[in-house]
């Protein structure tokens, strides 16, 4: 068999399982060299440009733009000119790959008859657009008009060539995969219509051509820079690459546009399309991936319902102030009291102190309140656990929460310090958040979202007084906790917060 090589979906990262073919940077029949950027592939984390693993000629595109394929799947075939199409198909069959089906060529009987004029095209393939064609190219008029360029499937190079020559692609027959129109199809259509083909001169929207007219599809550039250059009419050959790995970045395109008087500031005068802002692609960390997977599963699988209550904090704040001033070694926070109050309430309502065992479709009810405390990190969120919070003093809870938070921020938590737990407290009150909903931390059955304590007007009897009030929202998994049960827990929590001395006995 002839020398045929496959271009596969690469594996970028241990967690990558598939890739989405975003766009091909070369076309069928184009030669390429090892290391040349030939295709854009999007993964669950990033969009990357595939470098050619060897020198060759792209004979067959298998992975079409928009198609998602597993790692190792064939997306293209390289072979020399002497290799037949039958040999390529045989190679694909041996690899278990399927080439994209091509649309059948239109039947001659179905084509409209050509007008009886010397200048008309027999197949009515090419249409004169509103913009006149550049000198040196003759485009033959057609009876078909009115379809916009966005309605057709064409390669980026074909779109640029059609714009430069003033051609309506709606009447050009594509011969590529799925009927995709290539530059070759445009040139064939012009010749079939009796016209002559001259090198296309890239036209900018301001009417000012740039220095280079060569095809820039093989120039290394970031995806944003390539799109920006296309919108501004900048040829990437005119850009001085300053980006990573010698690629052209958006700033380089702006510099080239400035030298050609295509600045965004003169967009109103020139009709230039607005420049797409540059952005950073930040890959998921393993922690962020774990958070995404667990919380997405929780949101999809656990039927959440939420209960909201107000807690009066005045007595708790008074006790906290007294303890902190009397015992200098102890600095209790409001959150320490909330953790202790939740542990006490869980002992009063043990059916909330549960986990859902999905494997056995059962409820695990615990005798001890292991309260998870949400800690925000630069890379995500982690929930270290205060084990047996119902048996510990406020000072013990305060010291343990501080120690666990410090370990979490330095990456020194052991698995047993953050895996498990029977209930979670998530507090955003220090950020001034009044109230919010939290997603249950599986396999736990509930999570308490804690807002900020603030002065509010409260009706007491027949009078109005000012009290410090905190809004909390309990999210429950309805598979294991019912509404009345969740409401009972919040009632007990209100009682312990309103009379904090109950937590000390």
């Amino acid at each position: 068999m002839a020398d045929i090589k496959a271009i596969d979906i690469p594996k970028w990262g241990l967690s990558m399982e598939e890739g989405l073919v975003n766009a091909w940077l070369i076309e069928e029949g184009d030669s390429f060299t090892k290391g040349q950027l030939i295709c854009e592939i999007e993964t669950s984390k990033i969009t990357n440009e595939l470098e050619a693993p060897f020198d060759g000629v792209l004979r067959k595109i298998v992975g079409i733009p928009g198609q998602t394929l597993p790692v190792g799947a064939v997306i293209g075939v390289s072979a020399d000119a002497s290799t037949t199409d039958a040999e390529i198909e045989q190679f694909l069959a041996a690899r278990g790959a399927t080439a994209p089906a091509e649309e059948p060529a239109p039947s001659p009987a179905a084509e409209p008859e050509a007008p009886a004029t010397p200048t008309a095209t027999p197949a009515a393939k090419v249409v004169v657009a509103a913009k006149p064609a550049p000198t040196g190219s003759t485009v033959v008029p057609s009876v078909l008009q009115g379809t916009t360029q966005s309605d057709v499937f064409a390669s980026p190079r074909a779109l640029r060539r059609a714009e430069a020559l003033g051609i309506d692609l709606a009447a050009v027959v594509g011969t590529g995969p799925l009927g995709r129109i290539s530059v070759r199809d445009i040139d064939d259509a012009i010749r079939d219509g009796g016209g002559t083909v001259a090198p296309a001169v890239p036209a900018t929207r301001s009417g000012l051509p740039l220095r280079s007219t060569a095809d820039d599809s093989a120039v290394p550039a970031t995806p944003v820079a390539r799109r920006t250059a296309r919108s501004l009419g900048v040829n990437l050959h005119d850009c001085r690459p300053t980006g990573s790995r010698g690629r052209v970045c958006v700033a380089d395109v702006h510099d080239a546009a400035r030298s050609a008087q295509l600045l965004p500031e003169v967009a109103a005068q020139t009709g230039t399309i607005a420049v797409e802002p540059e952005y950073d692609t930040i890959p998921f960390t393993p922690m962020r991936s774990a958070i995404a997977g667990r919380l997405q599963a929780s949101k999809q699988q656990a039927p959440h319902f939420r209960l909201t209550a107000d807690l009066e904090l005045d007595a708790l704040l008074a006790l906290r102030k007294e303890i902190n001033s009397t015992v200098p070694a102890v600095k209790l926070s409001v959150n320490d009291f909330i953790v202790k109050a939740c542990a006490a309430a869980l002992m009063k309502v043990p059916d909330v102190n549960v986990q859902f065992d999905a494997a056995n479709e059962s409820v695990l009810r615990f005798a001890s309140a292991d309260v998870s405390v949400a800690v925000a990190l630069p890379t995500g969120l982690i929930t270290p656990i205060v084990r047996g919070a119902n048996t510990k003093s406020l000072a013990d809870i305060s010291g343990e929460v501080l120690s666990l938070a410090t370990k979490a921020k330095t990456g020194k938590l052991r698995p047993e310090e953050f895996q498990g737990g029977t209930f979670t407290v998530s507090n955003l009150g220090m950020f001034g958040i009044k109230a919010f909903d939290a997603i249950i931390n599986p396999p736990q059955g509930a999570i308490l979202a804690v807002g900020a304590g603030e002065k509010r007007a409260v009706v007491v009897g027949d009078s109005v007084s000012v009290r410090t009030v905190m809004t909390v929202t309990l999210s429950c998994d309805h598979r294991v906790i019912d509404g009345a049960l969740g409401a009972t827990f919040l009632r007990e929590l209100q009682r312990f917060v309103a009379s904090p001395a109950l937590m000390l006995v």
Side-chain angles (χ1 to χ4, degrees), residues 114-405:
T117 61
T119 58
T121 115
K125 284 189 175 181
V126 186
V127 178
V128 174
K131 184 171 59 177
T135 304
S137 296
T138 302
V139 182
V140 180
S142 167
V143 294
L144 301 177
Q145 296 187 25
T147 306
T148 63
Q149 304 283 47
S150 60
D151 295 325
V152 297
F153 182 36
S155 70
R157 289 177 59 198
L159 288 172
R160 292 194 296 270
R161 187 155 178 78
E163 181 181 1
L165 295 177
I167 293 176
D168 186 349
L169 290 176
V172 177
V173 176
T175 60
L178 299 181
R180 192 186 196 198
I181 297 173
S182 66
V183 172
R184 186 183 301 111
D185 296 325
I186 294 177
D187 293 345
D188 290 344
I190 295 174
R191 295 187 186 96
D192 291 345
T196 58
V197 177
V201 178
T204 67
R205 295 185 181 273
S206 66
L208 296 174
L210 296 179
R211 295 186 300 275
S212 298
T213 61
D215 176 24
D216 62 357
S217 60
V219 176
T222 66
V224 177
R226 196 174 297 279
R227 290 193 295 269
T228 303
R230 187 179 303 126
S231 68
L232 290 176
V234 173
N235 191 300
L236 293 175
H237 285 291
D238 291 319
C239 302
R240 182 173 62 88
T242 62
S244 62
R245 294 184 295 168
R247 297 192 299 177
V248 174
C249 64
V250 166
D252 304 329
V253 175
H254 290 172
D255 290 341
R258 186 176 295 108
S259 65
Q261 302 179 28
L262 289 174
L263 286 171
E265 299 90 78
V266 297
Q269 292 81 10
T270 65
T272 303
I273 297 175
V275 177
E276 181 177 353
E278 191 164 12
Y279 56 86
D280 293 329
T281 299
I282 304 173
F284 265 18
T285 62
M287 176 181 290
R288 178 55 62 187
S289 297
I291 292 171
R294 286 173 59 83
L295 296 189
Q296 180 179 356
S298 175
K299 189 69 173 178
Q300 292 174 340
Q301 298 170 11
H304 288 56
F305 74 88
R306 297 167 180 84
L307 302 170
T308 301
D310 289 335
L311 310 180
E312 291 192 11
L313 298 179
D314 295 283
L316 184 152
L317 293 175
L319 178 60
R320 171 177 176 261
K321 182 179 180 180
E322 182 180 355
I323 294 175
N324 286 346
S325 60
T326 305
V327 186
V330 176
K331 294 298 178 183
L332 301 179
S333 67
V334 173
N335 198 59
D336 297 331
F337 279 89
I338 296 299
V339 170
K340 179 64 176 178
C342 285
L346 288 171
M347 292 298 97
K348 290 292 185 180
V349 191
D351 287 335
V352 176
N353 193 41
V354 297
Q355 291 181 355
F356 176 60
D357 184 359
N360 299 311
E361 292 189 349
S362 59
V363 181
L364 307 180
R365 186 171 63 191
F366 294 83
S368 179
D370 297 336
V371 181
S372 303
V373 181
V375 176
L377 304 175
T379 55
L381 186 72
I382 196 166
T383 52
I385 303 167
V386 179
R387 303 280 181 183
N390 54 298
T391 64
K392 294 177 177 176
S393 67
L394 285 165
D396 290 339
I397 290 175
S398 177
E400 191 164 340
V401 168
L402 179 61
S403 174
L404 289 170

Side-chain angles (χ1 to χ4, degrees), residues 470-489:
M470 170 188 286
T471 298
V472 295
T473 302
L474 182 69
S475 298
C476 302
D477 184 343
H478 217 325
R479 295 175 296 183
V480 295
I481 299 175
D482 294 327
L485 187 60
T488 302
F489 170 83

